[in-house]
Every structure is written in C-alpha cells, then in structure tokens.
Amino acid sequence: MNILIVEDEFSLADAVSAALKKEGFSSTIKTDGEEGEYGALTGSYDLILLDVMLPKKDGFEILHSIKEEKIKTPVIMLTAKSAMTDKLAGLENGADDYITKPFSIRELLARVKIVLKRNNNIEDTASLSFGDITLDTKTAKLTCGENEVKISGKEMNLLEYLLINQNQISARETLAERIWGFDSEAEYNNVEVYVTFLRRKLGLIGSNVKIKAVRGLGYRLES
Ligand code: CA
C-alpha cells in the first residue's frame, strides 16, 4: 500500500508519513505542485493526499489533471479550515473526500482507511469503536455485546463522524456540512433529527454510549 502525499509543509508531510508508516502504509512526499502532479500521473499509488495551496500548481489543477487522464487513484483533499468553497469544489471535481486543516492524525488515518476500503483496496473490515459500541461501516451494523442494529445512510455518516472525532466536540455546522453538504438552518434541524434517531438505536441495543449535546457547540460521544 503506497500513498502519495502532496504537501508543501515539510513538517506536516513528515508527520503524516510517519503516522501512515506505523499503520503499515508506505508513502512518497512531493512538496510542490509540479512534482506532485508528475507523481500523481505517473506513479502507482493506492491513494493521493492532496493539499490545495501549493507552489507552482495548486491542488485543484492537479485534481483536474488526474481526472482528465482518467486515473482511478482515490484522492483526499487537504483544505484550509475556512475555505468552504474549496471543499465543495474538491468534491464536485471528483475528490473522494476532504479533510480540513488543522486535522488530527487520528482523523486523517480513519479517513484514509475509509477511502481505501470504499475503493476495495483494503481487506479488513472498517470498524470504529467507542465505549461498548462498534460500528462496522462495511456491513452497516452497529453492535453492543450480543445486540446489533442496522444503521445506514445519513445515520451511518453521522455516527461515523462522531466516532472518528470521539475525542472532540463535533460542531453542528461541521456535521451539517459534512453530511448534507451545506451549512444552513435547515440542515441543523436534520442533524438534531438524526441525533435523535441514533440515540434511539443506541438505546435499542442497550449501549451506555450517549450522544451528548454540548450547549451552543455541537455533540460529543460519552460513555
Ligand atoms: Ca500548502
């Protein structure tokens, strides 16, 4: 499993590379847009982590070239926190996922695994755990001990996000944008509705895990 990292911040690229190595993935770092594009178009990679702001050529130009050359390698864009339009542009132009800076290495690794799995490049099941629950994103089953319940669609996306970001508060705005694509009042209501659905399912399987609303901020898992 070889991952191409196109990132001009050396320390970040190195940290990502080291974390991937611990998980058994090898990686190659390219620190400018031209080299990154060359690598993406000519190399044999299982995944490309692509920064947007790069010297010589930006991430969107590279993404465009990748798609134009019909290269099937999945791409995760690394975008700046405030650049909402960047995220949408990335997804519309064929990126498989995006992650906003600053990100935790834990979230990055989880996203890498999910994208690889979605592209069938990885064998084991995509399971995420917290407290007494385990979500298998491949079979769409949420289990607690002997009990299990089917979970799919937006519920799955929401719980997956909360599990990946289990050590922090997930802002309502981020959830709305990540799951429904837009950050608006209507989508905030959706988040609340789906949190209610998930709480019901957690109760159904007898889990101690709670989705706690942190007033004014968002949600966090508690056990
Ligand atoms: Ca950059």
Side-chain angles (χ1 to χ4, degrees), residues 7-9 51 53-54 101:
E7 169 62 68
D8 60 322
E9 284 170 59
D51 185 26
M53 298 289 284
L54 291 163
K101 290 179 177 181

Side-chain angles (χ1 to χ4, degrees), residues 69-187:
E69 297 300 326
K70 304 203 177 354
I71 288 165
K72 298 263 185 285
T73 315
V75 177
I76 299 178
M77 304 291 292
L78 308 177
T79 70
K81 195 174 174 70
S82 56
M84 168 71 183
T85 48
D86 278 6
K87 297 167 202 165
L88 293 177
L91 293 176
E92 277 166 10
N93 290 300
D96 292 77
D97 205 349
Y98 65 83
I99 185 162
T100 42
K101 290 179 177 181
F103 51 79
S104 68
I105 291 291
R106 181 198 173 85
E107 179 177 7
L108 178 85
L109 291 175
R111 299 234 151 261
V112 163
K113 288 180 189 171
I114 287 166
V115 169
L116 287 173
K117 215 149 292 172
R118 212 186 281 151
N119 286 272
N120 293 319
N121 289 333
I122 205 165
E123 290 304 316
D124 59 335
T125 56
S127 67
L128 294 161
S129 300
F130 179 81
D132 58 10
I133 60 167
T134 299
L135 173 67
D136 186 326
T137 58
K138 213 170 184 180
T139 58
K141 275 180 192 156
L142 177 64
T143 54
C144 174
E146 308 258 284
N147 304 325
E148 66 174 45
V149 65
K150 205 86 176 157
I151 190 162
S152 58
K154 303 295 184 200
E155 282 180 341
M156 163 97 97
N157 298 341
L158 179 58
L159 187 58
E160 184 182 285
Y161 192 88
L162 292 171
L163 285 166
I164 289 170
N165 297 284
Q166 57 188 252
N167 295 322
Q168 65 192 62
I169 296 165
S170 297
R172 203 175 52 156
E173 292 81 357
T174 309
L175 292 168
E177 184 208 310
R178 160 79 56 188
I179 296 157
W180 283 272
F182 292 97
D183 168 356
S184 72
E185 275 305 322
E187 311 306 354

